[in-house]
């Protein structure tokens, strides 16, 4: 199976080849898990919170001290925003509009933390930004 | 752009894709050189897509810088995106955009400002942060909510990169707490958390803000109406979680702060609906906070109960995190956790390995003298079905708790035997000597033990540790085995031939490791003094192995042969029963432990198996092997050996006959004796003289190989 990265946002400093290696490692760890596993995996000295939606895995890598469930909710929040913004989003939407997806990410997460949690507010901002194009 | 993506996706092989990408990159490079402004942003977008697929895109960096400086919003946006993806601290180009960012931070359009903030927060290097920190601070205080949100998180990034700048943000952070906007509040709480984590003085300062935070939380919990931030019925769970976390840091080790929070925490704990993940997230954070501050005991019990409720939840995630927290508190709140022991043990059967691991650790921590029998049953069941990566952890855990809490020696031995049969391959190396030591101390069970081990040996010989222990026991207590009767186990008639057959099978099997073979050979040899009829058979076995390829076996065989031939008169003494061994005695004190353990048989002469035949070098007695294998449980003696003196050929046994002393053999300084007298191995013997009897002499001897 070939796995492609649709979006990768880094909040810590890594070289390009380190980034590639990390992506591959995360792929390897997350894709072998199925429904009977928890949504949390220990990874190096962090942990990965992930959620699978159809053919896409959304993974967030956080410190071990962070609250797993809160980030699980954050992933779902993010996906719901994407859904609204792209009107029933599907994977191709994310592929062809990848730069827009980055904008959504930047509205909701910043500096490695959750930034805005209100879906209505985020969507309002996104529409404003779109009108500037 | 869309066209390009489509073309790339239609490539069917990796090679084809690479070809397309190369062509596109060449086009893009040409585009950049031309400097046609209209198309620039599209080219960069294409380049970013290519980069996301994993291809190098360094040549786009300068382009990013140029686009950021452009006045048009769309170009700026792509430029900044490119900067975030392609540039990082190590690239020189990142410094070039510092100026652009600075200008954009004061731009009239808030969207441009936000782009700049975003980029700075994402990849700002320490240099850039230092330059731009004052700007950020200004924005923190005087701007609209949208910008403030970003500015606070940007400040968090700055502090992480350059901790010294923390004081710059402290005053503004405090005032931000009075904001009504959730987003800003959230950012402010994160900022304050970061400030407190970095600097304990700031922590004291912000303690005064605890009442304010408590107010905010109360508002969140009670007012059920806030549709914007509502997630499954909980108003802004993210903000709640963050505030709880900050409260945790502020209340840690501080009574006044903790008191102020007690009511709130109780309220949150009881009122939050945990049927959905969002509620559970808040409850979980509450529990962590309660555990970490100086809360009153009623509150702690409440927290443990919440965790217990989590354990029963259908959602595996929740069970997992509940066990993670229980693990942390099992030492301090042991009794409270004990109440949930049943559920934890059930989790051992979960299908997710990480859940199993947590359950295992918790179960091991919860074993006590009261519940040891039932817990061990569960643990043994678990061992037989557990995944391979957990086996060695399980076996060592089982051994540890068995050692601490076993209700009787027989139970202990049974348990260890059970583990060895189920998972013999995954036990630690010192298990074998530990078990042997345990067996020697349980003198009343020698008969039972040897019978059981014999039966296990006959059944199968693949588990090396089990086979090793069995061989050793048969060698030591073979006479009890042959007697045939034993009170605790049904009697089975075992003939000498049967026993020798079993040992020979071990010797010959390809499954036996060299160490195991050594055990078997030595056991066979020891039996020569304990059986009556088949001594010749033993002699022949031993001599066969005199030409074995394995050096260790060959050496032993030759030495035993010599024992038969030249030193037959000493054979009985040499091969006598071993004394009770002291466990882990570093250096001395076997005298003490022999007081605690029951002396196996007072009629047996105490100085034992020393066989210190300090004959001239041509003689063959190897002390190492007389102890029944290289895996002696005795600890190496750090004391230096004194000059080896050789006496005349009298046996130490005679010298010490009648004295109330005990000989303790220390592990030899080496396992392998080099051939042909090329080296020497030192075997240290310590004489323990608890009663201070006067000794004729004290010496240490060294063995030389032939």
């Amino acid at each position: 199976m070939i796995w492609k990265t649709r979006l990768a946002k880094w909040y810590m400093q890594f070289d390009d080849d380190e980034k590639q290696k990390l992506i591959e490692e995360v792929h390897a760890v997350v894709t072998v898990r199925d429904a009977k596993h928890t949504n949390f995996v220990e990874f190096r000295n962090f942990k990965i919170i992930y959620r699978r939606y159809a053919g896409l895995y959304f993974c967030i890598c956080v410190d071990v001290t962070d609250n797993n469930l809160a980030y699980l909710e954050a992933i779902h929040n993010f996906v719901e925003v994407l859904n609204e913004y792209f009107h029933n989003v599907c994977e191709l939407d994310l592929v062809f509009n990848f730069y827009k997806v980055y904008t959504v990410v930047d509205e909701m997460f910043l500096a490695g933390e959750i930034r805005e949690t209100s879906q209505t507010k985020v969507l309002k901002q996104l529409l404003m930004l779109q009108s500037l194009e | 752009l869309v066209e390009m993506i489509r073309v790339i996706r239609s490539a069917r092989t990796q090679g084809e894709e690479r070809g397309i990408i190369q062509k596109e990159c060449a086009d893009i490079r040409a585009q950049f050189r031309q400097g046609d402004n209209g198309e620039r942003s599209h080219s960069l977008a294409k380049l970013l897509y290519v980069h996301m697929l994993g291809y190098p895109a360094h040549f786009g960096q300068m382009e990013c810088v140029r686009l950021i400086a452009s006045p048009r919003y769309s170009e700026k946006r792509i430029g900044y995106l490119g900067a975030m993806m392609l540039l990082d601290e190590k690239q020189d180009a990142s410094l070039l955009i510092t100026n652009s960012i600075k200008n954009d931070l004061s731009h009239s359009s808030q969207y441009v400002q936000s782009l700049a903030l975003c980029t700075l927060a994402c990849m700002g290097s320490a240099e850039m942060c230092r330059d731009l920190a004052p700007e950020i601070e200004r924005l923190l205080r005087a701007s609209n909510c949208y910008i403030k949100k970003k500015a606070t998180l940007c400040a968090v990034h700055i502090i992480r990169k350059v901790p010294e700048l923390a004081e710059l943000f402290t005053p503004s952070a405090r005032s931000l707490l009075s904001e009504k906007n959730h987003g800003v509040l959230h950012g402010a709480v994160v900022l304050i958390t970061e400030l407190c984590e970095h600097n304990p003085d700031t922590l004291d300062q912000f303690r005064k803000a605890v009442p304010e935070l408590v107010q905010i939380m109360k508002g969140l919990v009670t007012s059920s109406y806030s549709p914007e931030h509502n997630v499954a019925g909980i108003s802004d769970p993210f903000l709640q979680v963050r505030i709880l976390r900050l409260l945790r840091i502020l209340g840690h080790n501080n009574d006044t702060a903790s008191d102020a929070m007690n009511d709130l925490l109780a309220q949150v704990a009881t009122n939050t609906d945990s049927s959905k993940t969002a509620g559970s997230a808040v409850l979980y954070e509450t529990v962590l906070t309660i555990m970490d501050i100086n809360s009153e005991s009623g509150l702690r019990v409440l927290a443990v109960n919440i965790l217990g409720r989590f354990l029963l939840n259908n959602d595996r995630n929740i069970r997992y995190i509940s066990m993670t927290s229980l693990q942390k508190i099992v030492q301090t709140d042991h009794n409270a956790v004990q109440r949930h022991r049943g559920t934890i043990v059930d989790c051992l059967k979960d299908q997710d390995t990480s859940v199993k691991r947590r359950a295992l650790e918790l179960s091991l921590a919860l074993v006590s003298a009261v519940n040891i029998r039932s817990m061990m049953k569960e643990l043994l069941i678990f061992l037989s079905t557990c995944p391979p990566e957990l086996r060695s952890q399980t076996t060592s855990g089982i051994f540890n708790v068995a050692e601490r809490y076993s209700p009787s020696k027989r139970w202990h031995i049974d348990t260890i035997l059970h583990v060895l049969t189920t998972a013999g391959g995954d036990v630690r190396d010192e298990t074998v000597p530990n078990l042997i030591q345990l067996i020697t101390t349980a003198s009343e069970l020698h008969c039972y033990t040897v019978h059981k081990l014999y039966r296990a040996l006959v059944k199968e010989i693949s588990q090396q540790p089990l086979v090793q222990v069995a061989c050793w026991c048969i060698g030591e207590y073979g006479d009890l085995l042959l007697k045939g009767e034993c009170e605790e186990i049904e009697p089975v008639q075992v003939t000498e031939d049967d026993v020798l057959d079993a040992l020979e099978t071990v010797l010959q099997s390809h499954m036996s490791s060299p160490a195991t073979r050594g055990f078997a050979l030595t056991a066979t040899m020891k039996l020569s003094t304990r059986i009556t009829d088949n001594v010749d058979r033993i002699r022949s076995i031993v001599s066969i192995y005199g030409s074995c390829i394995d050096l260790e076996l060959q050496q032993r065989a030759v030495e035993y042969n010599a024992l038969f031939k030249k030193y037959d008169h000493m054979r009985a003494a040499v091969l006598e029963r071993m004394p009770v061994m002291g466990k882990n005695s570093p250096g001395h004190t076997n005298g003490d432990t022999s007081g605690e353990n029951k002396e196996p048989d007072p009629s047996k002469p105490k100085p034992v198996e020393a066989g210190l035949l300090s004959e001239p070098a041509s003689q063959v007695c190897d002390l190492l092997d007389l102890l029944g294998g290289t895996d002696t449980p005795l600890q190496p003696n750090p004391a230096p050996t004194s000059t080896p003196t050789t006496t005349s050929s009298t046996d130490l046994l005679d010298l010490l006959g009648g004295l109330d002393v005990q000989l303790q053999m220390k592990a030899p300084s080496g396992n392998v004796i080099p051939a042909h007298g090329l080296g020497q191995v030192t075997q240290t013997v310590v004489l323990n003289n608890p009663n201070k009897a006067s000794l004729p002499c004290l010496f240490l001897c060294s063995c030389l190989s032939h």
Side-chain angles (χ1 to χ4, degrees):
Chain A
M1 275 253 240
I2 305 178
W3 296 92
K4 286 204 184 281
T5 315
R6 296 296 177 210
L7 177 126
K9 185 87 188 177
W10 305 89
Y11 293 103
M12 275 175 74
Q13 173 64 27
F14 294 108
D15 289 334
D16 270 343
D17 36 341
E18 277 175 339
K19 285 185 189 175
Q20 236 356 77
K21 194 158 161 301
L22 278 169
I23 292 179
E24 278 164 28
E25 275 185 43
V26 172
H27 275 172
V29 169
V30 166
T31 51
V32 290
R33 295 166 72 87
D34 57 18
K36 54 181 171 67
H37 288 109
T38 58
N39 291 73
F40 321 124
V41 193
E42 280 142 39
F43 176 69
R44 299 200 181 183
N45 48 349
F46 307 109
K47 51 186 179 191
I48 300 180
I49 321 281
Y50 72 95
R51 211 159 177 171
R52 182 175 181 172
Y53 292 87
L56 286 173
Y57 285 90
F58 288 81
C59 308
I60 301 187
C61 184
V62 298
D63 294 326
V64 267
T65 48
D66 283 331
N67 186 328
N68 297 9
L69 296 173
Y71 281 100
L72 203 55
E73 277 304 305
I75 294 180
H76 192 68
N77 219 19
F78 175 64
V79 173
E80 284 188 339
V81 167
L82 283 179
N83 202 26
E84 271 298 311
Y85 186 55
F86 289 107
H87 306 296
N88 287 329
V89 69
C90 66
E91 190 174 340
L92 283 180
D93 285 329
L94 302 178
V95 173
F96 284 103
N97 296 304
F98 70 97
Y99 50 96
K100 288 191 190 161
V101 180
Y102 275 100
T103 319
V104 179
V105 174
D106 287 333
E107 279 299 312
M108 299 188 73
F109 301 94
L110 190 60
E113 304 283 344
I114 300 177
R115 185 171 92 71
E116 178 58 72
T117 55
S118 155
Q119 294 181 13
T120 33
K121 285 212 177 112
V122 174
L123 285 165
K124 215 168 37 158
Q125 290 296 344
L126 289 172
L127 290 172
M128 275 281 343
L129 287 169
Q130 206 172 306
S131 64
L132 288 176
E133 294 284 314
Chain B
L1 173 66
V2 173
E3 200 41 54
M4 182 195 86
I5 297 182
R6 219 170 268 148
V7 168
I8 294 181
R9 281 170 65 85
S10 65
R12 263 158 301 148
T13 69
Q14 187 78 328
E16 208 180 313
E17 185 181 286
R18 238 174 300 165
I20 299 181
I21 302 268
Q22 268 175 351
K23 186 173 146 315
E24 289 290 342
C25 284
D27 278 346
I28 295 175
R29 255 186 277 239
Q31 259 287 327
F32 287 164
R33 271 193 295 262
Q34 266 177 19
D36 176 352
N37 271 330
E39 282 305 307
R40 268 223 195 126
S41 43
H42 290 145
S43 306
L44 188 57
K46 285 191 205 169
L47 184 59
L48 291 177
Y49 184 78
V50 165
H51 174 77
M52 210 168 63
L53 287 176
Y55 295 95
H58 310 292
F59 54 90
Q61 287 170 3
M62 284 313 295
E63 204 51 35
C64 295
V65 178
R66 239 172 278 147
L67 279 174
I68 290 178
S70 143
R72 282 172 51 189
Y73 178 75
S74 51
E75 294 191 344
K76 265 201 208 290
R77 196 168 70 94
I78 289 284
Y80 275 119
L81 180 61
M84 281 192 274
M85 284 179 74
L86 297 176
L87 291 176
D88 52 37
E89 306 183 332
K90 299 208 196 113
Q91 314 288 351
D92 302 320
S94 59
L95 291 172
L96 294 171
I97 64 174
T98 314
N99 214 22
S100 301
I101 295 186
K102 192 165 187 169
N103 291 337
D104 284 337
L105 281 176
S106 353
H107 203 272
S108 47
S109 158
Q110 62 171 352
Y111 300 105
V112 174
Q113 281 179 314
S114 81
L115 279 178
L117 279 170
C118 219
T119 311
L120 182 61
C122 183
M123 44 75 68
S125 65
E127 300 303 320
M128 294 165 68
C129 290
R130 256 187 267 262
D131 279 340
L132 299 168
E135 290 294 314
I136 307 292
E137 210 270 330
R138 187 177 56 80
L139 287 172
L140 263 186
R141 276 180 287 118
S143 53
N144 61 30
C145 291
Y146 181 66
I147 296 298
K148 268 196 206 164
K149 263 185 294 196
K150 298 214 176 199
T152 43
L153 287 175
C154 196
V156 171
H157 177 86
I158 293 180
I159 295 177
R160 284 192 184 140
K161 279 282 177 214
V162 188
E164 300 93 49
L165 291 172
E167 294 100 46
L168 184 59
F169 296 107
T170 316
S172 3
R174 185 79 166 78
S175 53
L176 281 173
L177 274 184
S178 36
E179 289 279 337
K180 290 280 176 270
N181 181 311
H182 278 226
V184 181
L185 210 41
H186 186 110
V189 174
V190 177
L191 179 58
I192 296 177
T193 314
E194 197 64 34
L195 285 169
C196 292
E197 275 172 2
H198 275 262
N199 191 336
D201 298 323
T202 339
L203 187 59
D204 288 325
Q205 257 184 303
F206 277 109
R207 282 229 177 84
K208 306 191 194 88
V210 170
E212 217 174 322
L213 288 166
V214 171
Q215 255 337 88
I216 299 175
M217 268 301 285
K218 278 216 173 96
L220 280 173
V221 174
T222 49
S223 74
S224 47
Y225 176 72
S226 172
E228 277 188 350
H229 296 276
N230 206 317
V231 178
I234 316 275
S235 26
D236 211 343
F238 304 103
L239 182 57
Q240 289 194 31
V241 165
R242 281 261 58 141
I243 294 184
L244 284 168
R245 188 163 168 182
L246 178 58
L247 285 175
R248 179 156 84 236
I249 299 176
L250 293 175
H252 185 67
N253 274 339
N254 183 305
D255 282 329
T256 29
S258 309
D259 286 334
M261 299 177 210
N262 267 323
D263 290 335
L264 170 69
L265 292 171
Q267 194 181 10
V268 174
T270 35
N271 287 350
T272 314
D273 168 30
S274 66
S275 51
K276 292 290 180 74
T277 319
S280 304
V282 175
L283 274 178
Y284 179 60
E285 198 72 31
T286 316
V287 168
L288 288 178
T289 305
I290 293 177
M291 285 299 146
D292 218 26
I293 64 175
N294 306 355
S295 48
E296 46 188 40
S297 55
L299 206 50
R300 288 181 91 92
V301 171
L302 181 61
V304 176
N305 285 346
I306 294 180
L307 287 178
R309 246 187 11 242
F310 276 178
L311 277 180
L312 298 166
N313 195 308
N314 282 331
D315 186 347
R316 188 171 285 117
N317 293 330
I318 296 183
R319 287 208 293 266
Y320 176 78
I321 58 168
S322 145
M323 283 198 280
T324 317
S325 337
L326 282 172
Q327 182 76 22
K328 291 191 205 130
I329 62 174
V330 74
Q331 300 301 331
T332 48
D333 295 82
H334 193 92
N335 294 330
V337 183
Q338 276 282 4
R339 247 176 270 147
H340 303 284
R341 200 179 70 236
T343 333
I344 295 175
V345 168
D346 279 336
C347 287
L348 279 173
K349 306 189 186 99
D350 196 294
Q351 289 178 317
D352 181 329
T353 318
S354 37
V355 173
K356 278 207 236 252
R357 183 178 297 130
R358 290 271 176 268
L360 175 66
E361 286 165 1
L362 262 179
S363 307
L364 289 172
L366 286 176
V367 174
S368 72
V370 175
N371 55 34
I372 175 81
R373 281 189 201 262
S374 46
M375 286 295 279
M376 190 51 78
K377 254 190 235 132
E378 296 286 344
L379 287 171
L380 287 174
I381 296 176
F382 175 66
L383 182 61
S384 47
T385 54
C386 81
E389 58 265 20
L390 288 179
R391 288 184 109 169
S392 48
Q393 197 180 353
T394 318
T395 53
S396 12
I398 289 180
F399 286 151
N400 272 339
V401 298
E403 203 171 298
R404 292 218 313 258
Y405 299 114
S406 61
S408 74
K409 288 231 159 115
R410 174 175 160 173
W411 184 93
H412 194 173
I413 291 180
D414 277 343
T415 311
I416 300 189
L417 287 182
H418 191 147
V419 172
L420 285 180
T421 4
T422 337
D426 295 296
V427 300
R428 282 202 315 245
D429 295 332
E430 58 262 24
T431 314
V432 170
N434 283 347
L435 178 55
I436 290 181
Q437 191 267 336
L438 178 65
I439 292 178
T440 55
T441 60
S443 52
E444 68 279 12
L445 293 173
H446 285 163
C447 190
Y448 167 76
T449 317
V450 75
H451 270 272
K452 241 189 141 177
L453 282 171
Y454 172 73
R455 270 171 231 197
L457 189 64
V458 167
K459 239 196 278 181
E460 69 154 321
I461 55 175
S462 57
Q463 303 277 29
Q464 297 303 301
L466 185 60
V467 173
Q468 286 172 2
V469 176
C471 287
W472 190 90
C473 276
I474 293 178
E476 271 293 297
Y477 309 120
D479 44 339
L480 294 175
L481 181 62
L482 293 167
K483 263 203 287 222
E485 23 167 275
C486 182
E487 17 189 77
E488 312 212 14
I489 203 172
E490 310 140 22
V492 161
Q493 207 48 30
V494 180
T495 67
E496 298 179 355
D497 274 319
D498 291 334
V499 176
L500 288 174
D501 280 340
L503 288 176
E504 245 187 309
T505 322
V506 173
L507 272 174
Q508 290 163 354
S509 160
H510 62 277
M511 286 192 279
S512 307
S513 70
T516 314
R517 287 220 178 90
F519 269 94
L521 190 58
T522 307
T524 314
M525 187 59 193
K526 283 196 207 170
L527 282 177
S528 70
T529 49
R530 293 164 175 57
I531 63 179
T532 43
D533 299 329
N534 284 348
V535 182
D536 287 329
R537 183 171 168 189
I538 295 185
R539 224 191 282 253
S540 62
I541 295 180
V542 165
S543 56
I544 290 176
Y545 279 89
S547 37
C548 173
I549 269 190
D550 184 274
L551 185 61
E552 176 74 24
L553 276 181
Q554 183 190 103
Q555 187 169 324
R556 291 184 189 215
V558 170
E559 288 159 0
Y560 292 153
N561 244 341
L563 201 54
F564 269 123
K565 298 198 186 118
K566 273 197 180 172
Y567 298 97
D568 210 32
H569 56 284
M570 285 200 250
R571 194 156 49 88
V574 164
L575 296 175
E576 233 166 23
R577 286 270 173 92
M578 299 204 47
V580 173
M581 294 179 224
K583 189 158 182 197
N584 287 339
S585 34
H588 29 211
T589 91
N590 215 5
D592 302 334
T593 47
S594 64
E596 295 163 16
N597 302 325
K598 293 171 265 177
E599 273 297 346
D601 189 347
S603 63
K604 293 203 184 72
K606 288 219 184 110
V608 69
E609 261 161 295
L612 286 180
L613 305 161
S614 32
E615 294 291 325
S618 58
Q619 295 316 316
V620 133
C621 250
D622 185 10
L623 270 156
L624 301 170
D625 299 301
L626 288 174
L627 287 176
T630 52
D631 303 334
T632 59
L634 306 167
Q635 299 301 313
N637 185 6
T641 62
S642 62
T643 45
T645 51
T646 52
T647 64
S648 57
S649 64
T650 45
D651 195 348
L652 184 61
L653 300 168
D654 295 331
L655 275 177
L656 296 177
L659 283 178
D660 183 21
V661 292
Q662 226 195 30
L663 269 174
Q664 184 179 11
M665 305 289 277
K666 297 298 186 184
S669 59
N671 275 347
V672 176
I673 303 178
H676 309 303
L678 284 175
Q680 63 178 12
V681 174
T682 316
Q683 172 74 57
T684 313
V685 177
V686 167
L687 210 52
N688 289 310
N689 195 352
N691 297 331
K692 306 277 188 257
S694 63
L695 298 169
C697 70
L698 179 68
F699 65 89
L700 299 161
C701 99
S702 69
C703 271
L704 301 175
S705 71
H706 57 286

